[in-house]
Amino acid sequence: MEKAGSAVTAVAALEDDLRRGMYDYIRRARRPVGRDEAAEAVGISRKLAAFHLDKLVDAGLLCARYAPLDGIRKVGRTPKVYEPARTDIRISIPPRRHDLLAEILLDAVLTEGDQENAAQAAKRAAREHGHRLGAAERERTRPGRLGAERALTRAREVLAEYGFEPDREAPDCVRLRNCPFHPLTARSPELVCGLNHAFLSGFLTGFEARSVEAVLEPRPGECCASLRSA
């Protein structure tokens, strides 16, 4: 998942016309591009092009390596070449995670069982996605036994990265202030809120946060769910 801070840094790097011009040129080239060629594309010196290209690398928009251009090895130092990074850069304010919802629905379509309807398959897929996230986070952090206080704190930290904008509303409650699936929720609130609840429940199960549960508490302009001490 692309973090919001990284995405903002990447977009800010493209504010400069020269950087944006070289980035567009390299994307269209569909092959490694050297500094001389990039410089010529926007009409600047090789030295200045090198500065801007490396800034694009630092922002995560380009990848750089040393390789012969056109596959021809020449005498002297191997040139530095640039290619587009294989990452998507997206910014949404407030945060949205339509890609996550799409993954859940795709998994539901591909794995729907004979005894399930579409909605049941989607909720199962959402729960499985959440469970994988929670299990991976538990494996990464190895938090040991989780009481309600610690579980709510850790869940808040993780779900913030997914755009839920969690807020410690009370000692026993983390309120999710933002719906990452909006505005799709407005088209089918029962389905999307059900998927959201299943995802959060799966996350808590995978994280082994038995002292916390996800509850549906819809409020206008906010996520439909809260996390509460069980």
Side-chain angles (χ1 to χ4, degrees):
M1 175 191 60
E2 183 71 30
K3 294 186 178 180
S6 299
V8 171
T9 299
V11 172
L14 293 175
E15 184 178 8
D16 184 277
D17 291 341
L18 292 174
R19 290 179 197 167
R20 187 166 63 253
M22 284 190 289
Y23 177 72
D24 289 343
Y25 179 83
I26 292 170
R27 283 199 62 84
R28 292 194 304 270
R30 301 291 180 179
R31 57 176 171 74
V33 173
R35 289 173 171 175
D36 288 330
E37 183 180 352
E40 184 178 352
V42 295
I44 58 176
S45 69
R46 183 181 188 277
K47 183 176 181 180
L48 184 56
F51 170 79
H52 285 302
L53 287 167
D54 287 338
K55 287 293 184 181
L56 291 170
V57 172
D58 292 342
L61 290 163
L62 295 179
C63 294
R65 58 190 173 90
Y66 291 95
L69 287 169
D70 301 322
I72 301 174
R73 183 173 295 277
K74 299 179 180 179
V75 177
R77 184 178 179 183
T78 303
K80 195 173 189 179
V81 298
Y82 299 83
E83 298 173 281
R86 297 182 180 275
T87 55
D88 291 333
I89 305 297
R90 308 177 209 173
I91 290 182
S92 177
I93 301 174
R96 303 298 184 211
R97 290 302 308 272
H98 297 151
D99 56 337
L100 174 59
L101 185 58
E103 288 177 13
I104 290 171
L105 295 176
L106 181 60
D107 280 356
V109 170
L110 294 175
T111 64
E112 182 178 338
D114 294 337
Q115 306 302 317
E116 293 179 311
N117 59 35
Q120 290 168 338
K123 287 183 180 180
R124 173 185 49 76
R127 190 175 297 107
E128 291 170 353
H129 270 258
H131 190 280
R132 287 195 294 271
L133 172 64
E137 182 64 21
R138 184 170 183 82
E139 177 64 22
R140 185 181 70 84
T141 59
R142 299 184 181 277
R145 185 178 177 85
L146 285 167
E149 169 67 27
R150 191 175 181 191
L152 285 170
T153 298
R154 292 296 298 120
R156 179 182 178 184
E157 293 170 355
V158 175
L159 295 177
E161 297 182 9
Y162 276 72
F164 284 94
E165 296 184 352
D167 178 37
R168 195 64 176 269
E169 187 176 68
D172 65 343
C173 176
V174 169
R175 177 67 195 173
L176 306 179
R177 300 294 185 188
N178 180 59
C179 174
F181 306 138
H182 186 82
L184 298 177
T185 307
R187 293 192 60 184
S188 182
E190 183 177 352
L191 173 61
V192 179
C193 289
L195 297 183
N196 191 15
H197 181 256
F199 173 80
L200 294 169
S201 297
F203 166 75
L204 294 172
T205 301
F207 198 51
E208 297 183 17
R210 300 181 181 88
S211 56
V212 176
E213 62 181 349
V215 295
L216 286 174
E217 297 178 341
R219 296 181 191 174
E222 296 186 1
C223 180
C224 60
S226 297
L227 304 184
R228 290 187 175 273
S229 299

